[in-house]
Each structure stands twice: as C-alpha cells, then as structure tokens.
Amino acid sequence: MKTMLNKLLGLVGLVVLSFGVLADDWQQAASGLTGKSSNDKLAAIEAMLEFDDPRNAVALQGMLDAELYYVKADRQLVIATKSGRSFLLTDLQGESLGEVAKSKIKRITVNNRIRREIRSGLAMMALAGPDEDARFSAVRSLMANVEAEQLPLVEQRLVAETSAKVQDKLRELQAIILLENGDDAQRQSSAEFLGGRMDAPSRNALLRAQADEQNAEVLAAINESVARNQQLLKLNRAAENLYFGLSLGAVLLLAAVGLAITFGVMGVINMAHGEMIMLGAYTTYVVQQLMPGHIELSLVVAIPAAFLVSGAMGVLIERGIIRFLYGRPLETLLATFGLSLVLQQLVRSIFGPLNQAVITPQWLSGSLEINGVLALTYNRLYIIIFSFMVVAALWLLISKTFFGLQVRAVTQNRAMANAMGIRSSWVDAMTFGLGSGVAGIAGVALSQLTNVGPNLGQNYIIDSFMVVVFGGVGNLFGTVVAAMTLGVANKLAEPFTGAVLAKILVLVFIILFIQKRPRGMFALKGRMVED
Amino acid sequence: MSKPKHIPQNTLLYVDGVTKSFDGFKALNSLSLIMEPGEMRAIIGPNGAGKTTMMDVITGKLRPDEGIVMFEQDIDLTQHDEAEIANLGIGRKFQKPSVIENLTVFENLELALSGGRGVFQSLLHKLSNQSFGRIEEVLELIRLQDKRSWLAGSLSHGQKQWLEIGMLIMQEPRLLLIDEPAAGMTDEETALTAELFKQLAQDHSLVVVEHDMDFVKALDCPVTVLHEGSVLAQGTLEQVQQNQQVIEVYLGR
Amino acid sequence: MSRSIIVSFLMRDKVGNALLAVLLALAIIVPFCSLVFEPGDTFYLSSYWVTLLGKYLCYALLAVAVDLVWGYCGILSLGHGAFFALGGYAMGMYLMRQIGERGVYANPLLPDFMVFLNWTELPWYWQGFDMFGFAMLMVLLVPGALAFLFGFLAFRSRVTGVYLSIITQALTYALMLAFFRNDMGFGGNNGLTDFKDILGFNLQHPGTRAALFSLSALALAGGYLLCRFIVNSKLGRVLIAIRDSESRTRFIGYRVERFKLFVFVVSAMLAGVAGALYVPQVGIINPGEFAPLNSIESIVWVAVGGRGTLFGAIFGAWMVNFGKTWFTGAFPELWLFFLGGLFVVTTLWLPKGVVGLSAQLSKMRRSKAASVAVSEKSPVQAQAVEAEPQPQQASQVAPEPEQQAEPTPKNLDQGAANV
C-alpha cells in the first residue's frame, strides 16, 4: 500500500516537476524486471512508474506482447522480434542493436497478476495521453480493476480533462472508488450517481456496496440505484432482442423480397427461389477468390455480380420452363422444385458438399457500443440498412420507371398491354430475372451471416413464402411489415421458448393466420382478386 | 342488419337497399328488386352496372355491405353460404359456361340431381330408376340424348350452355339466376333457348341477365335496367327502350 | 342400372384388377422364395430384397393416398410425408415399448433415450403404446386427427391452390423441427430404433420380414380397393367436380369443404398405415421422415405414374424408387439431377404421367382407326361411340382439359381447375 501511494505521489510530482530525473535511475528501477520472482518484477514495475519516462510504455507494452527480453551478458532490456532463426534487437529508445542468436537473450515472462498491474499502469499513463479514445478506454480498463490509490490521480485528471466524454467516464470511475472508500456523503452521492450506469463495473460496485453498506440512508440510495439499474438492464436487453429481431426480419425481408416480385407480382411459384439466393452467396465466394487482395471491396463487386448471375439464371428458367406453365401454378411449383434439386446438386458437384468460407471484410466486423450492456454489431446494422435500401430501390423501380409501368400493365391486363405494343413475354422474362437477381443480392448479404453451402437456399424457402403470404401477395409494403413482424416475434419469443420452439410457434401462428385471412395481412381487395 | 318491417306476401325474392363496394367503388348502390313466384325477369345494363355482383350477393358468393336479401319472405340469404343457398332452391348459371369438363354429360346431370348432398350419402349413392328417368327427361329437353357419354369438355360452347341449363333444372330450384345464356349460341339455339325459358317460367321464377336485345324481346317479359349499381328503369322492353335515361346510358350508344 | 356397383367397377378397371392379382401373387411368392429356397438357389430372395420390395409397397400405398387427394380432388398436399411419419412414429413407439429390459440401460419401462435424458417417468403420451391394438389405433387416429384439424381449418376458410400447398409444407417442416427436439420425447435426432420384435416375433427373422412384406402387399391392395370404391362412387364424381370447378360444385349445393375434409382424412390415415408398415421393415424412424423433400418426392411418384388413376401412382412409386435404388448405388451424385430432371420433364411433357402417355398413344391409334370407320365424327366422339353407351362411362383417363383460363401468371386460384 505504502509503495503504491509513493508511486502515485511520484507520478503526480512528475507531472508537476516535468523532467528532472537521471536516466540511470530509471535503468536502476527497471533492473528488477530481470529478476526471477514475480514480486521482483512487480516491485520493478512500481519503481519504473515513478519516472515519467517514455521507455515505460515501450517496456510495459513489450512485456504484454511477450517481446521484452534482456541480453544475458549485460542484462540490458531489449525488444526482440523473431527474424528467421535469430532475433532482431532494438533498445527501448528504438535504436537497432542488430541480430543475435536466441541463446544470447532471455524473455521476461509475466503471469496474470503482473499483466493486471501492467495494464493498470499503462492505463494510468494513457490517462494523460493525447488521444481522446485512448484516454476513454484507459478509464474503462481502470474501472475493471479499481483501487483506492487511483483516486488522487483520477481527481486530478478530472480537472485537467477537456473531453466531456472522458470526463463523464472519469466521474463514474471516481464514484466507483468513492462508493467503496468515501465518507457517508460521498458514498451516498456516488450511489446516486451510479444509478443508471450500465457498465458492468458500476453495476457490480453497487451490488457489492449493497451487501456491505451499514448506513441506512446510503443503503436506501444504493437500493434505489440498484433497482433503477435492474430496470434499465431489462430495457436494454429488450432493446437488444428487438435489434436481433429487426436484423432477423431484415434477413427474412432480403430473402423474401425477390419472391414478392416473382410470386407476389407475377404469381409464379418459384420453389428454386432459395437456390437463387444460394447462387448469390456462391458468387460472393467466387468474387473473393478472384480478388484475394481486395477483400474490403469484394462485397461491392459481389452485389452487382450476384444480381447478374442469379438474374441471368432467372431469365433462363423463365424462358426455359416457366413460360410453358403459366396458369398452372401447381405444375410450376413442381417443375421449379425439380430445378432447385438440380441447382443444389450442380453446386455440390462444382464446389463440393462442404461449406465455403466467405470472408467478412473489416468494416463489417466490430460493433457500435451504446452502453455497457447494449452493443449493436455492425454486420447486423448494415443488413438492416441494406435490406431497406433494396426494398426502396425495388419500389422505385416498380412504381416510378417505365419498366415498372410495363410490369404493372402486363400483370393487370395482359391482353391490353399486348395491344398497346408491350412485349409481354419480354416483360415476364425481365420481371422474373429481376426477382431472381434480387434473391442473388440477398445471397451476398446472407453469405456474411450464415454458412455458404449447397443447402443455404433450402433453409430460407419456406420462411420466404411464409413472409410473402403473411404480408399479402402482391404487396411490397406487406412483405416489409411481415418480415419485420416475424423476425421480431421470433426473437422476442426465443428467451422464453428457445430458438427451435420459437420458430415452430411462428410457423404454427402463420398456418393459423392464413386460415383466418387467406390473403394475408394487407390483402388486395376488389373484383380483380375474386377471379 | 335490421329486419324489414313488412315484406309483401307472395314474394319469392326480396332485395332492398343492397350496397356492395370494392375499394370505394360501389358495384351495387342501394339496389332493390322484388321477384314473385313464377315470374320471369330480364335484366339489362351496360358493363359494370352490377349485374354479376347482384347475382354474387343473392347466391352467397359475396356478402353485401348493407341491405336486405330475403328469400321466400323469411330466409335471410346474407346468413347462408353458396351451398346452403343452392339447396334452398336458388340455381345459378354462370356467364362463362361452367360444367365439369372431366365428367360425362350424364354424370354432370347426375351430380346436379336434387337430394343427397352429404358426404356419406354420396359415397353410398345408387341411382334409382326414377332418377334415371328424370335425367333422361332433361337430356331430351336439352337435346343432348345422343351425347350422354361424351365428356362435357368436348361439347361445343352452345351445348355447354345447354348442359348447364340442364344441370340447373336437375337441381329443381324455385329461382333460377341465368347470366347471359345466349352468348356464343347460334340464332337457332338462341330461339330454342328462349322457348325453353318460357316453358320453365311456367313453374319456376327466372332472372335472366342478357345483352342480346333480340333474345330479351323473344323472352317477352318485364325488363329491369341496371346502371351504376341501382335500378334505372323497369317495365316492358318497349317502355324501357323509350326511356330517355336508358337511351342515354345504354341503348343509345 | 341393376348391376351392383361392385360388379360394375370390378369389370371396368382392368389394369387395377391385374395389379391386385399381382399384389396377391407377390404376397405369396415373395415369402415362398425367401423362406423355402436356400441361399444360392435361383429363386432365393435374400432378406435385403424382401425388405427393399416391402419398402416399395409402403411407398406405393403413400402414393395412392397422395393420388386420392391430388389426382381426384386437386389438393396438392406437400405435407403427406408428415402423416406417413406420424403413422411410423406410432408404430415405432409400440416397437420401443416392446424392447423393455433388453435395452442398453435395461430399464423395463423407459426407452433408452429417456434414461439417457435422465427422465424418470414415461410421458403420458407414451402410455398405452405397449398394447399392439392401441398402437394400431393410433396409427390411424393420430394422422387422421391432424388431417382433420388442419383440413377443417384450411378448407373451411377456403385456402386453396398453392396457398394450401405451401402451408402443408410449413406443417411438415414445423413437425420436423419439433421432432428434432429432445424434450418432445420422441428420441430427438436419432428417432426411434434398435427395435427387437413385433407381437413377439423377432424382427430380424426372415419369417417376420416375409410376413411384413405380405402384410404390406395386402395393405396396398386394400388401400387400392378402398380408394377405388371412393372414386367410383358418386362421391368420386363430386371430387372430380371440386377439382375441375370448385365454385360450380358449391353452386350445385355440395359442401365442398366437407368432401375435401373426408378425402384428406382418409388419405392421411392411409399414409399413416403406410408409415406404420414401413418402420418395422427398415428398423428406424427419425425426424428426417418429416423433411419437406420426402413429401414432394411422393408427389413426383404420382406425377410420373399418372395422377387421377390410382394404379398410375403405384407404378410411379415403383419406377421412381427403383430408379433411386439403382442411381444411389451406381451414380450417387447423379440421383438429384435425375430426380430434379424428372420433375421438370414430367410437368412439361408428361402431364398425365406414364399411364397417360400409353393411353394417349392408344387413343391416337384408336382415333386413327375410328376416323377410317366413321370419318365424319370427331376423335372424342369416336371414343365415346366405341365404348359401351353406358351412362356411367368411366372417365378415368380424361382427355386434356381445355385450357380455360388465359395463360396469365396472375390466375393463382385457377390452379385447382387446371391441375
């Protein structure tokens, strides 16, 4: 304890005094790192931190990364990186020391206790660093391992800190420390302050304090804050479920929106729709194989490529099979189902039966942290945005372009459209190609979420049909609402029922719903539908 | 739906204030119509006047938004479905001949034969000599005796119309709703059909929707003109043909 | 009209009668070849073959059940595999209970998988399955009840055409997911297996296998007779009327939903029987039997054979399954190409299946002959003239229905009329 206090005082002093200590003293302090016992090393770290020396960061980080060695001959601390059979040495100021054999140097080993000490040491140093984000994460890492000794430094930084974000986090850290170590008034205000803070250390600190607190008034404040946190926690979990639900809804929407064109607008039952999705996913895989150096760009290339591949396949299917079966939906269903088997086997024969590894670009990984509990992963976020973009683009295409006008004309009155000079067979082929192409785009998105294998499409076909039928055939808006409803319902049910049962319940719900409203939620009305 | 205070005695079909709209478009707009037993009525009107929708409402295919549809004074037809209404004694012939194409002419008539509509009755059904005779009678009436073993799908358009009329007769309905029976018939067939209807009108009530004025003239019965979902004029064919409004919306064009 | 119905239809269905004779012969010959001859004899049939042929018979019964609802009533059920599997599970539960103390855990009451899951009590729905009679009742009642419940809701609200097809597929998919769950109490992933004996007869014994084969042949014959009785009655004509024009049938005064419900339930029960006979022969039932692909495969049997003929369904089931056995042995990777191609070829070029093809060919030949004899009559007329002018002329092999609807893609509900 006493040495720790010294260390902190030293640090504070250093900030005030700036530079003024001899370099040899630092070397003296750091020499303990070459010792055998952890206690030697811990003492050395403490001693080192009393100096404001740039070598501290290099040495400590080097230890964490297992790159800090010492030369056996003179016990000099060096950073060593492996280069072939030997090691490249640099000293702690970054000067190169040449290459040596492995036998000449020895690594400084660390255990978890030392690691923890290093981290908090590094965080202490980072607190005064120039980078705002680094300071912020430094506070957070200090929160994971609070010690009363940190208080003076925290309070000093609170005054000096310019960023509101970091200041707020520092205040939280201060509250956590004071909740354990402050007087009655400090504990009470800390307890109040920590109510509504979602980071795990804050919540845990309150819970610990709740068990230990003697003062009734403070305890009341703690209890209130704990209750408030519990409430918020539930809310955040619900928000997270909602987010998962929306992203599942977006996946369903992407999978179903192509079907909303082919089935909803054209009335063609394409059981090979899932395979159009699968082709899109495989296209993504192939694109990544073709441009291994540009994974970041691969998805941007894959989207139009998948649209073309699946769209071309769609046109082929329409011209080759479906156009002979118009007006015979059950036959169309069987023929396209047969086709789906052929396509699956084709992909299996070319790429093999195993799943292919599609790489997720850097910009799709990671997550957006809202608070300590709620983090929105970027891939899901992008899928939600992407699905809405696809639907919006489709809506514009159908309702605002000349092609869309032709599509609507042909589906509403084929004879009249023909009479007006629209080549309805061309429009049929293009519309079907469009629906299939959109399925291909869905495949690109799905390749980022699930395994890319020959059965990828099969897993989505029933869901897709459920979405379209539930939403009301021929209604793009209905498809969006249905996909989101089913996605959210599924995820909200999951915590109570488990994933599989939730899916079964949703299926059963739709089956019953269709009995009640055979034409879906947003059914088209009117005489046209009656025939 | 409030019950009417008073439905005139001796009324077979009583339609009052029936409205049915599709997405804001009123296919029927406060339509009223009364049929007496043994009456034949021709209904004319331009496309979209609500003729088919009216039949859909009477036969239970559609439920009206508002209005009263009563059969034999005390049966509320809006509370029954198609099969029940058929069994109450209302037969319907569609505009497009709709016979069962994959059954023979004889089987089509046998299917329409009144009585025995239950599942197990059908399963154990045996054609009695009396019923057989009845089918023979109708075959003769619709002039398809020598085609009894033909599949209905292989008949000509006019013959299908006749077969469908024959099926209606087999049902022994009290009220027949007939949609454009003369469509696709030769002049000779048309004349014969008119004769047949007059004969039927002796012991059935008939509502005949038709475009062919010669056919309506041959029927020689009261005419109701529908326009935009309600009754525009009523009377003999000559009377309505002289009605200025009727000329404007329909005949004059 | 004085001839009894039975006599009149026995006289008509020549192919069917031949088929029944073959089934009866098989029921005798196959056990004979398997039991009387020794391995090595020319006429010896190994257990492998007896089981394989028995499987084909069960599939054929399933195909007949599918044909009854699809071929005659126009209901394209993509979930008939579910009824087959439920019948199979009912039988499987009986067989599981028969294992008793011979299981790995030697629990007298609980099947092995329950002991493995640390269950201490037999779930209520496993009660009674130790009794053969009860289990056989369930083979009929469970698929029947599900079909009744589902059909009652669907047909009452007039869900038709592809909508019905898709929700039947969702039904079997939901059941598959459910049966994969361990806590459903049906063995989860692994299903029910390791059966020992049935009614005290060892399932591995050639005699038992031969008996099961004969039973399957008789069940198929019985199922065929039952369906033939149904489709040749007036009810059968109502079914055809519903298939060709549902609304017309309603306006004639038939409660379409009741007729549909009746055949749907009968068909589901037949499928259940097929499943129940299948399980003791193959020795396992697992949730994979609920897979949507299985149901659709049974549709293709019927389509290939020729829908609306009953015997076509049987031929189709045999042909396709023989093809499957051969392909998966010789060229396993080609099987799905073949099956998928079969779907496409059948729907595009063989709308009436193999049976329809031969009928069409013979019709063409006959009409040639007839047009020489009675040159002024149309082909169909010639056919009618040639046949005995009996009122109840068979319409088993109907000519191509005229394309009623304009071939627009929008005509969804026309589906029932055109299939």
Side-chain angles (χ1 to χ4, degrees):
Chain A
M1 273 300 141
K2 201 175 158 203
T3 48
M4 280 293 266
L5 204 66
N6 281 342
K7 176 183 78 181
L8 279 163
L9 284 176
L11 260 174
V12 173
L14 278 169
V15 176
V16 181
L17 287 172
S18 184
F19 222 78
V21 191
L22 288 170
D24 339 334
D25 294 343
W26 186 86
Q27 274 173 354
Q28 191 67 35
S31 66
L33 289 179
T34 60
K36 274 206 160 59
S37 78
S38 332
N39 283 337
D40 287 349
K41 289 173 190 167
L42 282 171
I45 292 168
E46 261 176 50
M48 283 157 65
L49 284 173
E50 288 183 22
F51 302 88
D52 178 24
D53 193 299
R55 284 173 291 183
N56 272 342
V58 182
L60 292 180
Q61 195 60 49
M63 266 201 279
L64 271 187
D65 300 343
E67 282 180 348
L68 188 71
Y69 289 70
Y70 64 88
V71 181
K72 280 181 184 166
D74 59 3
R75 301 228 149 203
Q76 186 194 0
L77 290 168
V78 291
I79 297 292
T81 47
K82 204 172 164 116
S83 154
R85 294 196 160 203
S86 53
F87 282 79
L88 277 178
L89 300 190
T90 50
D91 74 3
L92 296 180
Q93 263 113 3
E95 298 277 324
S96 177
L97 298 177
E99 244 177 85
V100 296
K102 191 174 187 288
S103 58
K104 301 276 183 223
I105 52 175
K106 189 164 170 58
R107 198 173 79 201
I108 295 170
T109 53
V110 291
N111 60 20
N112 278 339
R113 207 169 119 227
I114 298 172
R115 237 176 242 126
R116 207 160 50 232
E117 207 57 44
I118 293 173
R119 284 214 182 87
S120 95
L122 281 171
M124 293 285 229
M125 292 191 313
L127 273 186
D131 181 38
E132 183 186 341
D133 286 341
R135 292 204 301 277
F136 185 77
S137 45
V139 184
R140 285 189 75 169
S141 68
L142 282 175
M143 278 167 67
N145 190 20
V146 276
E147 283 169 41
E149 291 79 1
Q150 297 163 344
L151 190 59
L153 178 73
V154 169
E155 285 175 340
Q156 180 230 336
R157 282 304 312 163
L158 255 176
V159 181
E161 183 58 58
T162 50
S163 154
K165 188 176 131 195
V166 181
Q167 209 164 37
D168 179 68
K169 216 62 191 163
L170 276 167
R171 211 161 273 140
E172 194 175 341
L173 175 59
Q174 181 194 29
I176 295 175
I177 300 171
L178 286 177
L179 186 64
E180 222 167 312
N181 308 297
D183 57 29
D184 284 0
Q186 281 171 327
R187 288 207 309 279
Q188 175 144 12
S189 66
S190 295
E192 281 160 10
F193 182 84
L194 289 177
R197 295 285 168 156
M198 278 296 98
D199 277 351
S202 303
R203 284 184 287 124
N204 291 339
L206 276 172
L207 289 176
R208 272 200 310 275
Q210 195 177 32
D212 298 342
E213 186 56 57
Q214 305 293 325
N215 183 312
E217 248 175 88
V218 179
L219 188 62
I222 292 174
N223 284 342
E224 197 180 319
S225 286
V226 167
R228 191 165 155 224
N229 281 1
Q230 225 70 1
Q231 197 80 31
L232 271 173
L233 198 63
K234 261 190 210 159
L235 217 65
N236 275 300
R237 295 248 190 274
E240 189 178 38
N241 271 331
L242 190 71
Y243 178 66
F244 285 158
L246 285 177
S247 75
L248 176 64
V251 169
L252 290 175
L253 179 58
L254 275 173
V257 74
L259 207 64
I261 305 277
T262 53
F263 180 50
V265 177
M266 298 178 75
V268 172
I269 319 299
N270 182 16
M271 294 300 277
H273 177 78
E275 278 58 46
M276 301 293 115
I277 298 176
M278 175 198 69
L279 284 182
Y282 271 93
T283 306
T284 315
Y285 168 73
V286 172
V287 165
Q288 289 194 343
Q289 296 302 302
L290 292 179
M291 42 190 284
H294 305 87
I295 293 301
E296 304 296 307
L297 278 178
S298 61
L299 292 191
V300 183
V301 178
I303 288 171
F307 182 84
L308 288 179
V309 169
S310 294
M313 181 55 83
V315 171
L316 213 65
I317 294 172
E318 202 277 341
R319 289 288 87 188
I321 296 176
I322 288 170
R323 73 171 160 139
F324 302 109
L325 297 172
Y326 281 131
R328 290 154 70 193
L330 295 187
E331 261 100 343
T332 315
L333 191 155
L334 293 180
T336 50
F337 187 84
L339 203 73
S340 78
L341 296 181
V342 171
L343 287 173
Q344 277 174 35
Q345 188 57 44
L346 194 70
V347 165
R348 204 173 281 128
S349 299
I350 297 174
F351 295 96
L354 298 178
N355 291 332
Q356 301 296 341
V358 172
I359 308 159
T360 302
Q362 202 61 48
W363 50 274
L364 265 176
S365 39
S367 59
L368 178 68
E369 286 195 25
I370 305 294
N371 60 37
V373 183
L374 189 59
L376 310 181
T377 47
Y378 281 125
N379 59 354
R380 290 174 188 272
L381 197 62
Y382 278 114
I383 289 238
I384 294 175
I385 296 167
F386 184 63
S387 68
F388 279 101
M389 276 165 52
V390 169
V391 172
L394 263 183
W395 180 79
L396 284 176
L397 186 68
I398 296 286
S399 64
K400 302 285 178 202
T401 65
F402 183 63
F403 172 69
L405 186 68
Q406 287 182 319
V407 171
R408 282 177 291 144
V410 168
T411 51
Q412 279 169 27
N413 192 333
R414 174 170 300 261
M416 184 60 99
N418 280 333
M420 282 162 50
I422 297 173
R423 283 166 56 206
S424 64
S425 62
W426 180 84
V427 173
D428 284 340
M430 286 301 123
T431 315
F432 198 81
L434 174 68
S436 305
V438 171
I441 291 182
V444 179
L446 287 182
S447 73
Q448 298 301 315
L449 291 184
T450 63
N451 297 327
V452 176
N455 292 334
L456 170 75
Q458 226 177 20
N459 300 332
Y460 286 95
I461 184 70
I462 291 181
D463 287 337
S464 302
F465 269 108
M466 290 294 119
V467 166
V468 176
V469 170
F470 182 50
V473 171
N475 189 322
L476 213 52
F477 173 71
T479 306
V480 176
V481 176
M484 290 301 153
T485 312
L486 295 182
V488 171
N490 208 331
K491 286 294 170 188
L492 289 188
E494 256 177 36
F496 306 103
T497 60
V500 181
L501 199 56
K503 195 167 169 67
I504 295 168
L505 289 177
V506 166
L507 278 176
V508 170
F509 165 74
I510 298 174
I511 291 173
L512 291 176
F513 181 86
I514 291 173
Q515 322 282 358
K516 200 75 200 152
R517 301 194 57 175
R519 292 181 189 280
M521 276 193 294
F522 300 93
L524 296 175
K525 294 192 195 95
R527 282 172 62 143
M528 206 182 79
V529 182
E530 291 298 319
D531 301 321
Chain B
M1 211 167 286
S2 63
K3 277 224 158 192
K5 286 195 184 85
H6 176 69
I7 294 176
Q9 284 293 306
N10 201 27
T11 304
L12 186 66
L13 179 70
Y14 181 90
V15 177
D16 191 25
V18 168
T19 298
K20 175 78 195 174
S21 53
F22 299 108
D23 282 342
F25 167 71
K26 282 190 175 171
L28 293 181
N29 188 3
S30 193
L31 176 82
S32 301
L33 183 80
I34 295 178
M35 289 288 294
E36 284 168 16
E39 187 188 351
M40 175 152 66
R41 178 81 59 89
I43 294 191
I44 60 174
N47 281 333
K51 293 167 297 190
T52 304
T53 310
M54 179 192 78
M55 290 204 172
D56 285 348
V57 166
I58 296 171
T59 53
K61 190 177 176 193
L62 292 176
R63 297 257 175 278
D65 299 337
E66 52 187 275
I68 299 154
V69 187
M70 302 294 275
F71 185 60
E72 295 184 320
Q73 292 152 57
D74 52 3
I75 303 168
D76 184 354
L77 291 183
T78 61
Q79 301 303 311
H80 296 273
D81 68 10
E82 298 102 311
E84 282 167 346
I85 290 173
N87 290 329
L88 283 169
I90 297 181
R92 175 175 185 181
K93 197 199 101 38
F94 288 86
Q95 188 176 343
K96 197 170 69 183
S98 98
V99 292
I100 313 303
E101 310 235 335
N102 283 313
L103 292 179
T104 63
V105 170
F106 188 95
E107 287 170 333
N108 265 286
L109 292 176
E110 185 201 2
L111 211 59
L113 184 69
S114 66
R117 293 293 194 258
V119 172
F120 293 99
Q121 276 170 302
S122 305
L123 189 62
L124 305 170
H125 174 82
K126 268 182 75 176
L127 203 58
S128 68
N129 285 335
Q130 196 190 350
S131 305
F132 190 72
R134 175 87 185 113
I135 294 175
E136 287 293 323
E137 270 175 48
V138 174
L139 273 174
E140 201 178 318
L141 191 67
I142 58 174
R143 294 153 195 273
L144 289 172
Q145 303 103 302
D146 56 339
K147 299 188 173 69
R148 73 181 72 197
S149 307
W150 281 36
L151 288 176
S154 54
L155 296 176
S156 74
H157 190 81
Q159 286 168 334
K160 282 183 191 167
Q161 298 269 44
W162 278 67
L163 174 57
E164 204 180 351
I165 294 166
M167 289 166 74
L168 269 190
I169 299 169
M170 292 303 304
Q171 280 177 255
E172 296 176 11
R174 259 155 299 176
L175 175 66
L176 285 81
L177 305 174
I178 302 171
D179 206 348
E180 299 198 24
M185 283 190 178
T186 62
D187 286 349
E188 191 203 351
E189 283 173 332
T190 309
L192 283 168
T193 309
E195 274 313 302
L196 176 64
F197 284 2
K198 279 200 227 168
Q199 205 179 321
L200 282 174
Q202 287 164 8
D203 42 9
H204 300 84
S205 298
L206 274 82
V207 175
V208 183
V209 168
E210 191 48 80
H211 273 304
D212 183 342
M213 284 305 139
D214 292 333
F215 182 74
V216 174
K217 197 171 181 181
L219 288 180
D220 187 26
C221 67
V223 174
T224 297
V225 185
L226 289 194
H227 178 57
E228 290 179 351
S230 47
V231 175
L232 185 69
Q234 230 159 343
T236 65
L237 184 59
E238 280 143 37
Q239 282 169 345
V240 300
Q241 274 176 332
Q242 276 149 27
N243 184 311
Q244 202 53 42
Q245 277 180 298
V246 174
I247 292 170
E248 257 169 49
V249 305
Y250 186 40
L251 299 168
R253 287 189 300 182
Chain C
M1 290 316 296
S2 53
R3 264 193 299 210
S4 84
I5 299 170
I6 294 177
V7 171
S8 72
F9 79 61
L10 273 182
M11 288 181 59
R12 248 180 288 133
D13 182 15
K14 283 184 195 153
V15 184
N17 290 336
L19 195 79
L20 288 172
V22 169
L23 284 176
L24 285 179
L26 279 176
I28 296 163
I29 293 169
V30 168
F32 190 79
C33 290
S34 156
L35 298 176
V36 174
F37 293 103
E38 297 289 322
D41 284 349
T42 321
F43 296 108
Y44 173 73
L45 263 179
S46 70
S47 276
Y48 168 80
W49 277 101
V50 174
T51 301
L52 191 68
L53 294 175
K55 248 170 72 176
Y56 290 174
L57 292 175
C58 297
Y59 287 146
L61 183 55
L62 173 61
V64 167
V66 169
D67 196 24
L68 182 66
V69 284
W70 184 36
Y72 287 90
C73 200
I75 303 169
L76 178 57
S77 163
L78 299 183
H80 254 54
F83 303 126
F84 182 85
L86 284 174
Y89 265 98
M91 174 60 98
M93 285 161 82
Y94 163 76
L95 296 173
M96 283 309 262
R97 297 285 309 265
Q98 293 307 297
I99 298 173
E101 289 178 357
R102 289 167 291 174
V104 177
Y105 296 106
N107 189 310
L109 195 60
L110 297 185
D112 278 347
F113 73 88
M114 290 189 197
V115 182
F116 184 74
L117 290 173
N118 292 324
W119 291 17
T120 52
E121 264 176 71
L122 199 65
W124 60 267
Y125 47 84
W126 276 77
Q127 303 292 342
F129 275 93
D130 49 334
M131 291 175 283
F132 185 75
F134 178 83
M136 291 310 102
L137 198 64
M138 288 300 126
V139 162
L140 289 173
L141 285 188
V142 172
L146 179 68
F148 184 86
L149 187 73
F150 184 84
F152 178 78
L153 292 169
F155 300 141
R156 192 191 51 171
S157 34
R158 302 192 183 175
V159 180
T160 55
V162 288
Y163 288 88
L164 189 77
S165 303
I166 291 167
I167 61 169
T168 51
Q169 189 175 27
L171 175 76
T172 190
Y173 183 62
L175 280 169
M176 179 179 78
L177 293 178
F179 273 74
F180 267 124
R181 286 160 46 87
N182 273 331
D183 29 351
M184 274 289 283
F186 294 106
N189 245 335
N190 303 322
L192 310 176
T193 188
D194 293 333
F195 307 135
K196 302 286 188 245
D197 51 25
I198 181 167
L199 287 172
F201 298 102
N202 185 347
L203 276 171
Q204 303 306 321
H205 192 275
T208 315
R209 287 177 172 268
L212 282 169
F213 174 88
S214 297
L215 267 177
S216 305
L218 293 178
L220 177 57
Y224 183 81
L225 280 170
L226 174 69
C227 289
R228 188 164 76 176
F229 176 70
I230 289 173
V231 301
N232 281 324
S233 71
K234 186 181 162 196
L235 191 147
R237 292 190 282 285
V238 177
L239 296 184
I240 290 174
I242 291 171
R243 180 191 71 189
D244 285 1
S245 177
E246 184 167 333
S247 70
R248 174 78 256 176
T249 315
R250 260 200 195 101
F251 284 115
I252 298 175
Y254 291 99
R255 311 294 308 253
V256 166
E257 60 278 9
R258 293 188 188 165
F259 284 82
K260 283 183 168 180
L261 191 57
F262 173 76
V263 279
F264 197 60
V265 170
V266 169
S267 170
M269 287 177 165
L270 282 177
V273 171
L277 285 164
Y278 175 83
V279 167
Q281 300 189 66
V282 299
I284 184 169
I285 174 84
N286 63 31
E289 292 295 334
F290 285 103
L293 179 61
N294 283 21
S295 295
I296 296 200
E297 246 180 74
S298 69
I299 299 288
V300 90
W301 305 336
V302 178
V304 166
R307 71 191 90 151
T309 58
L310 295 182
F311 55 77
I314 295 177
F315 293 149
W318 286 348
M319 282 188 290
V320 177
N321 278 298
F322 183 76
K324 185 176 186 173
T325 306
W326 183 74
F327 261 107
T328 47
F331 311 100
E333 68 283 1
L334 287 185
W335 163 241
L336 278 184
F337 282 128
F338 177 75
L339 184 66
L342 207 55
F343 274 97
V344 177
V345 169
T346 311
T347 45
L348 283 184
W349 291 294
L350 280 179
K352 304 230 157 276
V354 175
V355 168
L357 183 74
S358 65
Q360 232 157 351
L361 287 175
S362 68
K363 199 181 88 180
M364 274 164 64
R365 227 177 296 128
R366 256 190 297 164
S367 74
K368 240 182 219 165
S371 64
V372 175
V374 227
S375 54
E376 76 274 21
K377 285 185 175 163
S378 76
V380 187
Q381 202 174 1
Q383 184 196 5
V385 166
E386 194 184 67
E388 189 193 352
Q390 242 257 342
Q392 301 207 359
Q393 190 203 349
S395 54
Q396 294 258 341
V397 182
E400 187 76 26
E402 275 173 34
Q403 200 69 33
Q404 276 197 356
E406 281 279 291
T408 65
K410 196 71 204 178
N411 273 325
L412 281 181
D413 289 351
Q414 212 79 40
N418 283 316
V419 172

